[in-house]
């Protein structure tokens, strides 16, 4: 009799199976980590507003930021236009087709953004995105 209870039909434990819940939470965590890389820490710019924005973030995306003083940054490091061209040409030699995003402060001179875009055309980069902010609810 004792052997039957040991090797017989097992009772189902009365508990909640949390494995599917943990799987869903891990997927949500991965999505959160991937989407949180869109901002570059350390540089605060006032982005102009656009009604529709397309995300171009990829792992090898290079970010060019122009602050309200007209200073140009490549991935949070200040550079001159000549240094920017040199670094982009080096990157293009390593990775021929990498995306570039341009973040310009809303109060920056339009000519400075055009200089950077002209430089990107000169380096023959084709995947270029302009980052904008979301429009405010009131306007």
């Amino acid at each position: 009799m004792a052997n039957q209870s040991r090797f017989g039909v097992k009772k189902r434990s009365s508990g909640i199976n949390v494995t599917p819940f943990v799987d869903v939470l891990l997927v949500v965590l991965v999505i959160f980590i991937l989407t949180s890389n869109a901002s570059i820490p350390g540089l605060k710019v006032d982005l102009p507003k656009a009604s529709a924005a397309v995300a171009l973030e990829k792992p090898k995306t290079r970010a060019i930021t122009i602050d309200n003083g007209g200073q140009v940054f490549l991935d949070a490091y200040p550079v001159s236009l000549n240094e920017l061209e040199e670094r982009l040409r080096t990157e293009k030699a390593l990775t021929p087709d990498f995306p570039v995003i341009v973040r310009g402060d809303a109060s920056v001179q339009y000519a400075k953004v055009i200089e950077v875009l002209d430089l990107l055309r000169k380096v023959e980069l084709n995947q270029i995105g302009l980052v904008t902010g979301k429009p405010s609810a009131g306007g």
Side-chain angles (χ1 to χ4, degrees):
M1 205 55 140
N3 287 341
Q4 268 188 351
S5 65
R6 182 187 292 172
F7 298 111
V9 178
K10 293 185 179 182
K11 277 188 166 181
R12 185 175 178 136
S13 62
S14 59
I16 298 173
N17 186 4
V18 295
T19 304
F21 180 68
V22 171
D23 288 344
V24 169
L25 285 179
L26 287 175
V27 169
V28 170
L29 178 66
V30 167
I31 291 172
F32 175 74
I33 289 171
L34 292 176
T35 58
S36 67
N37 289 335
S39 67
I40 297 173
L43 296 177
K44 178 70 176 159
V45 292
D46 180 24
L47 296 171
K49 308 300 182 220
S51 61
V54 178
L56 186 62
E57 281 294 327
K58 291 184 181 177
K60 290 287 188 178
T61 300
R62 302 303 301 258
I64 299 172
T65 305
I66 307 164
D67 68 2
N68 61 356
Q71 176 64 46
V72 179
F73 296 85
L74 178 62
D75 294 334
Y77 298 105
V79 293
S80 67
L81 288 178
N82 291 334
E83 290 172 331
L84 178 64
E85 181 177 358
E86 180 182 320
R87 290 185 185 182
L88 290 176
R89 286 192 188 278
T90 304
E91 182 75 24
K92 185 171 174 65
L94 297 173
T95 310
D97 199 24
F98 65 95
V100 176
I101 57 172
V102 179
R103 302 171 71 229
D105 194 285
S107 63
V108 75
Q109 293 180 358
Y110 188 63
K112 193 66 170 183
V113 175
I114 295 301
E115 285 180 48
V116 170
L117 292 175
D118 191 40
L119 183 131
L120 293 174
R121 185 181 52 82
K122 188 170 136 183
V123 177
E124 297 178 358
L125 293 172
N126 298 324
Q127 293 188 32
I128 302 170
L130 296 175
V131 179
T132 60
K134 294 181 181 175
S136 60

